[in-house]
């Protein structure tokens, strides 16, 4: 593995692609809550990045976002059509080159932790009831992630779509790690598989890492994360790789957003839908410069 000792650590996180037309409330104070939550998580996670590396920073960041009911992951996950919360997460870093993921796990607080456990297994992706049983067998405490707000939205058939959460980090050793976690799209067929626990939605190599959010089927069809990283591996700058990928997706009227980071610390974020009411919630930090949207 290459190392880049002159490159300062960098971290970028996201809280999903928000369609403000479908939210229950979009008052100014709600925007401020998103801002404050993202800013706090990215700063805290950066300390982890500097002390114990990219993978631990991504785990910390995604776990913190899963614990924030504002976002659709972990606590606050939206409900599938049968009223159940089924959560998914994916994780990969450039040091191991090994992807691990959990699909439609239930009754856990932090799905990203199950993805981390599976990284140590010969079978690194598990799904459904057996994924839940796997977590129970490893003494992961039972947890109900369904909030009263999500239950109310389900009963009113008005899903508060704040998308997926994710993080991409670069540490001082040049390791890049990407992780993503989601509660799904809400109201979907029970057992539906999202992009988050696949390399289409979560991918990293020694040159770049990507975490996606949006309509998972479209992200999978477009192989977004791997497409971008492969282009960077082929010598295309990250900004151009992202722009080209988004342009191709716009032709097909796809709806997704992404965060990305390359081995130089360059951060690129983007979304396919250019309208103002589509907001990609994200934050980046390098120890000095903090960028947060909204």
């Amino acid at each position: 593995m290459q190392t880049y000792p002159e490159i300062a650590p960098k971290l970028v996180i996201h809280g999903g692609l928000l369609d403000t037309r479908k939210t229950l409330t979009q008052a100014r104070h709600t925007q401020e809550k998103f801002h404050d939550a993202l800013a706090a998580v990215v700063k805290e996670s950066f300390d982890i990045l500097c002390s114990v590396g990219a993978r631990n920073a991504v785990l910390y960041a995604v776990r913190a976002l899963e614990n924030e009911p504002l976002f659709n992951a972990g606590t606050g996950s939206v409900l599938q059509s049968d009223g159940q919360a089924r959560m998914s997460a994916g994780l990969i870093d450039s040091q191991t080159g090994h992807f691990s993921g959990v699909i439609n796990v239930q009754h856990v607080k932090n799905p990203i932790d199950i993805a981390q456990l599976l990284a140590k297994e010969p079978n690194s992706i598990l799904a459904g009831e057996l994924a839940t049983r796997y977590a129970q067998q490893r003494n992961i405490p039972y947890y109900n992630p369904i909030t009263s707000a999500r239950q109310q939205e389900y009963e009113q058939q008005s899903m508060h779509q704040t998308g997926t959460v994710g993080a991409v980090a670069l540490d001082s050793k040049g390791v890049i790690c990407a992780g993503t976690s989601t509660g799904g799209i809400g109201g979907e067929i029970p057992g539906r598989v999202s992009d988050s626990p696949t390399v289409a939605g979560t991918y990293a190599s020694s040159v770049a890492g990507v975490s996606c959010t949006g309509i998972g089927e479209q992200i999978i069809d477009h192989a977004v994360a791997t497409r971008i990283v492969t282009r960077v591996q082929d010598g295309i700058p990250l900004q151009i790789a992202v722009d080209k990928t988004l342009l191709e997706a716009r032709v097909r009227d796809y709806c997704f957003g992404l965060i990305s980071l390359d081995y130089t610390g360059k951060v690129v974020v983007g979304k396919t839908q250019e309208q103002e009411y589509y907001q990609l919630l994200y934050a980046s930090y390098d120890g000095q410069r903090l960028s947060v949207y909204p």
Side-chain angles (χ1 to χ4, degrees), residues 123-138:
N123 308 122
S124 58
I125 303 174
L126 291 182
E129 294 179 4
L130 295 179
T132 302
R133 186 185 302 175
Y134 171 86
Q136 294 169 342
Q137 290 171 343
R138 278 140 189 87

Side-chain angles (χ1 to χ4, degrees), residues 18-29:
L18 180 68
D19 182 349
T20 59
R21 299 171 301 173
K22 296 182 180 179
T23 56
L24 295 179
T25 57
Q26 269 305 297
R28 184 179 182 85
H29 74 276

Side-chain angles (χ1 to χ4, degrees), residues 17 245-246 249-250 253-257 270-275:
L17 183 67
T245 301
L246 293 177
R250 289 187 187 114
D253 198 30
Y254 283 169
C255 182
F256 62 81
K271 56 190 176 73
T272 58
Q273 301 294 320
E274 297 175 335
Q275 297 93 334

